[in-house]
Amino acid sequence: MLYYFAALMSAAAVVWLVHPRRDANRWAGIFLFSAATGGTSEWLEGQDWLVASSVVQYANLTVTPYAALVFALVYGGWLRTGAARRMAKLLPLAPVIGMAGWTTWTPSFAINYPLLAVWSGLYYLAACALLVLAWRRESDRHLRRSRRITAVIMTPTLLAVYGLIYIGRAIDPDFPFFGYVSGFVAYSLGLGLLLSWGYGVLGVRVRVEGDPMEPAMQAASSGASMLHHAIKNELGKIAISTANLRREVEGRESAEDHLRIISASSEHLLAMVSRIHGQMKELSLQLEPCSPQRIIEELLPAYRERMAAAGISVVTDYAPHASVLADPVHLREACSNLIHNAIEAMPKGGELRIAIEQHRRQVLLRFADSGQGLAPAQAARVFEPYFSTKGGGANYGLGLTYVYRVMTGSGGAARLESREGEGAIVTLSFPRMRQREE
């Protein structure tokens, strides 16, 4: 049993410490810690620490289903507001506390297993359903894979724990569940460890998983650097040769016209490659407290005339005194890209809604347009380098990639939600500054 305790406690520590500010990781850690405590109850009883053994058994049996449910709610993104998150964590505590009235603590621990099986069953089944639904409804292919992995790892073991421990003990309080449950726990831990090598589980890899698109970002950055270097060198040679030829053909108007075309085309090509390189090179962020509201208010006047001509109205809703830790220069450019994209998505007019929401653990900056939206296959790829849904020579498919890199570099995240015919919402999420400072 102590091996069981050590394995689950190790998993809890790793999952929590990899992303201590991420709510889903904290609740995964709480769930694993609570599950692990069951491995110590027999040892405590053997040491004649009967009260401690009873408390540990009670916590293991009641807190574990509660933590599983809250984890599934938080992980799946089902709780949109701070009030919803608070209620989702407080209301399910009622049976956890109330079961104390149906428990005998000494001289031997005895809990009302049939009653426990009723409400814990609701919690476990709801947690499994929420994990599967979070996977099935996810449109982003990277997050969809991550949610599928979590569902495959957790749901069989949660169902087995409920059936073998809670239902088993409700039928026979002396049912020897451990030999059966340990196989499912080994399955979850073993599969989690195996998948952490290639894909990552809850942000954990053998190398800590940070960004699921990191290989694509690195390849694009490297390719842009090599392209910039090679073309810049060749354009330098063209510029020198053009200047020399211009001196030799001075006075010959037709030849000078051709040379001007060559020179203008070379300058345009250099500007294009420099822009691609600038958006894909390694970002050096200078993080400092800044006001997203002030950044938006400084940006909007530059777009007023264009939006008025296109018939686009702007609605803003700012949480008061919201502040985030970010690089103000890069955040300004990222927001500018999002406003520009929203305008392009509404050529026949519409509404752009910009909102700042301040929650207990994060600040959200949302840009919502009423354009045509994106197909699921397109929405899943919008942050990939060089992917674009629009044509045009000035569009390189790097605007949202830049936004993604600014947000991950700031310790936050960028997310796009869209359906065809229903517009698109891009959400930038930042950890609350007071948590980062802690």
Side-chain angles (χ1 to χ4, degrees):
M1 292 287 279
L2 290 179
Y3 292 112
Y4 171 91
F5 170 76
L8 288 178
M9 282 297 291
S10 299
V14 170
V15 168
W16 187 310
L17 294 176
V18 164
H19 290 294
R21 298 188 184 95
R22 188 180 293 174
D23 213 15
N25 283 65
R26 284 195 295 270
W27 279 99
I30 292 170
F31 164 72
L32 289 168
F33 173 79
S34 175
T37 58
T40 64
S41 60
E42 285 189 9
W43 180 82
L44 291 170
E45 189 174 354
Q47 304 299 311
D48 290 329
W49 295 341
L50 300 182
V51 174
S53 175
S54 297
V55 170
V56 166
Q57 286 188 69
Y58 182 85
N60 171 251
L61 291 168
T62 59
V63 175
T64 304
Y66 162 75
L69 175 62
V70 176
F71 165 75
L73 287 167
V74 171
Y75 177 74
W78 302 100
L79 309 173
R80 296 292 186 181
T81 66
R85 281 189 288 274
R86 286 191 293 273
M87 294 299 288
K89 295 169 185 177
L90 289 174
L91 290 180
L93 271 175
V96 175
I97 298 170
M99 281 300 297
W102 281 271
T103 301
T104 301
W105 300 92
T106 57
S108 62
F109 176 79
I111 195 169
N112 188 326
Y113 279 107
L115 178 60
L116 176 65
V118 172
W119 68 263
S120 66
L122 295 176
Y123 284 19
Y124 278 123
L125 294 175
C128 292
L130 290 170
L131 290 174
V132 173
L133 285 174
W135 157 34
R136 300 298 297 173
R137 72 165 189 160
E138 183 57 60
S139 60
D140 182 283
R141 62 175 181 168
H142 300 288
L143 286 175
R144 184 180 176 87
R145 183 183 66 188
S146 177
R147 296 196 192 287
R148 181 174 67 248
I149 288 172
T150 303
V152 169
I153 288 173
M154 291 192 65
T155 52
T157 301
L158 290 179
L159 293 173
V161 164
Y162 174 63
L164 293 169
I165 298 179
Y166 294 81
I167 297 296
R169 285 291 178 90
I171 297 172
D172 178 6
D174 296 321
F175 177 71
F177 64 84
F178 181 75
Y180 303 100
V181 169
S182 59
F184 285 92
V185 173
Y187 155 81
S188 290
L189 293 178
L191 186 58
L193 180 61
L194 179 65
L195 292 175
S196 69
W197 284 86
Y199 301 103
V201 179
L202 289 175
V204 179
R205 279 185 177 175
V206 172
R207 173 179 73 80
V208 173
E209 177 190 27
D211 184 351
M213 290 203 295
E214 185 178 355
M217 296 291 182
Q218 289 179 342
S221 179
S222 176
S225 296
M226 289 188 291
L227 181 66
H228 180 261
H229 178 73
I231 292 182
K232 188 175 180 180
N233 285 345
E234 297 306 312
L235 288 177
K237 297 174 187 177
I238 293 173
I240 294 171
S241 297
T242 302
N244 292 335
L245 280 172
R246 185 173 283 122
R247 285 193 295 269
E248 293 183 16
V249 300
E250 189 173 357
R252 296 168 59 182
E253 187 173 343
S254 61
E256 288 185 348
D257 286 342
H258 286 299
L259 288 173
R260 277 194 292 271
I261 292 172
I262 293 173
S263 180
S265 297
S266 300
E267 290 173 2
H268 173 72
L269 184 58
L270 179 60
M272 182 184 74
V273 174
S274 295
R275 180 179 172 188
I276 292 174
H277 180 245
Q279 289 193 310
M280 288 309 302
K281 68 182 180 181
E282 188 68 28
L283 294 179
S284 177
L285 301 178
Q286 304 297 319
L287 302 183
E288 61 183 68
C290 56
S291 167
Q293 177 178 343
R294 182 178 303 167
I295 289 173
I296 298 299
E297 289 177 343
E298 291 173 354
L299 280 173
L300 284 177
Y303 291 96
R304 293 286 186 194
E305 186 174 336
R306 182 180 172 189
M307 288 191 288
I312 297 172
S313 61
V314 180
V315 177
T316 58
D317 182 13
Y318 305 136
H321 312 301
S323 184
V324 299
L325 198 62
D327 185 311
V329 174
H330 285 288
L331 180 57
R332 179 188 177 93
E333 181 65 18
C335 292
S336 179
N337 284 343
L338 295 176
I339 294 172
H340 176 81
N341 285 355
I343 293 172
E344 288 193 338
M346 298 182 285
K348 297 181 181 179
E351 182 180 81
L352 170 61
R353 302 182 68 88
I354 303 175
I356 299 172
E357 303 173 9
Q358 192 158 224
H359 302 290
R360 183 166 174 258
R361 299 190 182 279
Q362 60 183 345
V363 176
L364 303 179
L365 176 54
R366 298 189 193 276
F367 297 80
D369 67 66
S370 59
Q372 290 302 306
L374 299 173
Q378 293 176 319
R381 299 186 59 195
V382 291
F383 293 113
E384 293 181 8
Y386 308 119
F387 176 80
S388 176
T389 60
K390 304 182 288 290
N395 181 58
Y396 312 123
L398 292 173
L400 287 176
T401 301
Y402 173 76
V403 172
Y404 188 94
R405 296 174 70 235
V406 169
M407 291 307 300
T408 54
S410 303
R415 178 184 177 87
L416 181 138
E417 301 170 82
S418 182
R419 292 184 180 179
E420 287 184 283
E422 298 183 12
I425 303 173
V426 177
T427 302
L428 309 183
S429 60
F430 302 83
R432 283 286 293 269
M433 278 176 46
R434 58 189 177 85
Q435 289 188 321
R436 293 183 65 94
E437 290 165 358
E438 288 170 3

